[in-house]
Amino acid sequence: MSNPIKKYHIGLTQWGYKEWKGNFFRENAKPADFLKQYASVFNSVEGNTTFYRAPSRETVKRWGEQVDDTFKFCFKFPQGITHYKRLKDVHDDVLSFLELFDPIRTKLGPFHIQLSSQFSYNEMDKLERLVEMLPVHLHYAIEVRHPDYFDKGKQERHLTDLLKSYGIDRVVFDTRRLHALSGNEPSVREAQRKKPQTPVRFETTGNKPFIRFVGANDILNNETYLKEWAIITADWIREGKHPYMFIHAPDTLQAPALARYFHSELAKLIELTPMPAWPSERKDEQLGLF
């Protein structure tokens, strides 16, 4: 059975969070079960582990065997390419990294290319060379963090025109709610320390808008923002775009509930099937890939 969520992709920052056992996962779930159980509810995931270390082809193949073709992995480019080499002389590195995922090419969403907050407009030529070399049969989303790319002027227009010309999406990392929070909740303070405060841009540059949202740990404190994103996402879907929405929470334990709330809000605006029940909520015979 294929995953019933078809009009867009929704997921979290990871699939292997062990503290989800008994909450989102089944109480008796083992690490080898995590991806299959995760993919029975969500149809995408941020593949952040590849930022730090490239997997083996065998590992990639094993991941692909645990999900169906409606599921899409959005792997992050390695930091060696984006942060250490800063896109300089990375042709071979990029192609060898992308080649790792050939065994699961039907299960790939956009690759997430996150640039350093120090990657300024002065290095734009390197970004231009990167997008020229990217294989056209795959999809990409680029995240910029340097203020140069948010100037609402010549520099930002240059970036927008470049991405549009190659059909590459600009990642939106919405941390507005997170940085508006006050209080002493440790997970929130840690997230505020780590996550950037970049402006939100609602203009799309490709056909697969790529949103990363991080706010509060509870639904109530995120409601306004998630309702806003539901309206925007519904409009994109009506326009024929296929959005990717990734929900973060300062405390990762809370992320599945926030994602379910977002999906329910979106379902009020466009016709969607309900999000499947969590593995922890199902009877034994109900657990299976969708």
Side-chain angles (χ1 to χ4, degrees):
M1 195 189 305
S2 63
N3 194 300
I5 304 172
K6 295 178 180 176
K7 295 182 179 178
Y8 81 118
H9 277 77
I10 183 168
L12 309 176
T13 62
Q14 58 181 288
W15 68 73
Y17 190 63
K18 63 181 186 299
E19 280 76 13
W20 283 337
K21 287 176 60 172
N23 175 300
F24 172 71
F25 292 142
R26 298 189 155 205
E27 186 68 58
N28 63 353
K30 297 177 175 59
D33 305 323
F34 289 169
L35 177 54
K36 185 175 181 180
Q37 290 193 19
Y38 172 93
S40 72
V41 176
F42 298 107
N43 60 2
S44 192
V45 69
E46 286 190 11
N48 291 320
T49 58
T50 53
F51 182 71
Y52 303 102
R53 187 164 65 90
S56 67
R57 285 179 73 90
E58 292 71 29
T59 297
V60 169
K61 196 173 176 185
R62 189 168 66 249
W63 289 340
E65 290 166 352
Q66 296 178 65
V67 302
D68 70 11
D69 281 349
T70 66
F71 189 91
K72 303 299 179 188
F73 294 95
C74 294
F75 293 111
K76 187 181 285 188
F77 264 37
Q79 61 183 344
I81 293 172
T82 56
H83 286 57
Y84 299 154
K85 291 190 174 182
R86 299 170 74 97
L87 306 188
K88 184 180 180 183
D89 300 328
V90 294
H91 181 274
D92 292 346
D93 298 322
V94 167
L95 295 186
S96 62
F97 173 71
L98 294 174
E99 189 183 4
L100 279 174
F101 303 98
D102 277 352
I104 61 167
R105 56 188 172 274
T106 61
K107 299 170 183 179
L108 295 173
F111 281 92
H112 178 193
I113 305 172
Q114 181 191 98
L115 302 181
S116 162
S117 60
Q118 308 303 313
F119 191 94
S120 72
Y121 185 76
N122 292 332
E123 300 179 84
M124 188 69 178
D125 60 321
K126 292 189 289 185
L127 182 56
E128 290 177 330
R129 285 197 292 274
L130 174 74
V131 299
E132 286 169 6
M133 78 169 76
L134 292 173
V136 296
H137 66 284
L138 298 170
H139 301 285
Y140 312 92
I142 291 178
E143 180 178 341
V144 290
R145 295 188 171 187
H146 194 281
D148 284 357
Y149 302 107
F150 297 89
D151 72 342
K152 294 187 176 179
K154 183 186 76 172
Q155 297 174 147
E156 187 166 8
R157 282 197 302 273
H158 188 174
L159 173 68
T160 299
D161 291 345
L162 174 69
L163 298 182
K164 282 184 174 180
S165 67
Y166 285 89
I168 293 173
D169 291 277
R170 178 175 181 171
V171 174
V172 177
F173 197 4
D174 185 357
T175 62
R176 293 172 297 170
R177 185 68 191 114
L178 172 67
H179 287 291
L181 293 170
S182 57
N184 294 314
E185 202 173 348
S187 64
V188 170
R189 288 206 315 273
E190 179 67 5
Q192 289 172 332
R193 186 181 69 80
K194 287 184 173 181
K195 305 301 182 187
Q197 273 186 283
T198 49
V200 173
R201 295 290 187 258
F202 297 106
E203 179 185 11
T204 58
T205 56
N207 201 45
K208 297 180 180 357
F210 195 107
I211 312 306
R212 309 175 74 209
F213 174 86
V214 56
N217 284 318
D218 62 296
I219 290 171
L220 182 62
N221 274 303
N222 289 307
E223 270 187 0
T224 302
Y225 293 87
L226 291 177
K227 285 176 185 287
E228 177 187 34
W229 276 116
I231 293 167
I232 294 165
T233 302
D235 285 343
W236 283 336
I237 292 170
R238 293 187 194 106
E239 292 168 7
K241 295 180 169 67
H242 192 99
Y244 279 72
M245 170 60 78
F246 295 106
I247 303 293
H248 301 216
D251 178 357
T252 305
L253 183 67
Q254 309 305 325
L258 300 181
R260 179 151 66 178
Y261 174 79
F262 172 81
H263 184 78
S264 69
E265 288 300 304
L266 183 59
K268 295 175 183 176
L269 303 172
I270 57 170
E271 188 177 346
L272 286 176
T273 52
M275 183 172 284
W278 293 352
S280 61
E281 299 167 340
R282 300 177 204 155
K283 296 177 182 177
D284 287 347
E285 68 272 13
Q286 290 179 301
L287 185 61
L289 273 179
F290 280 83

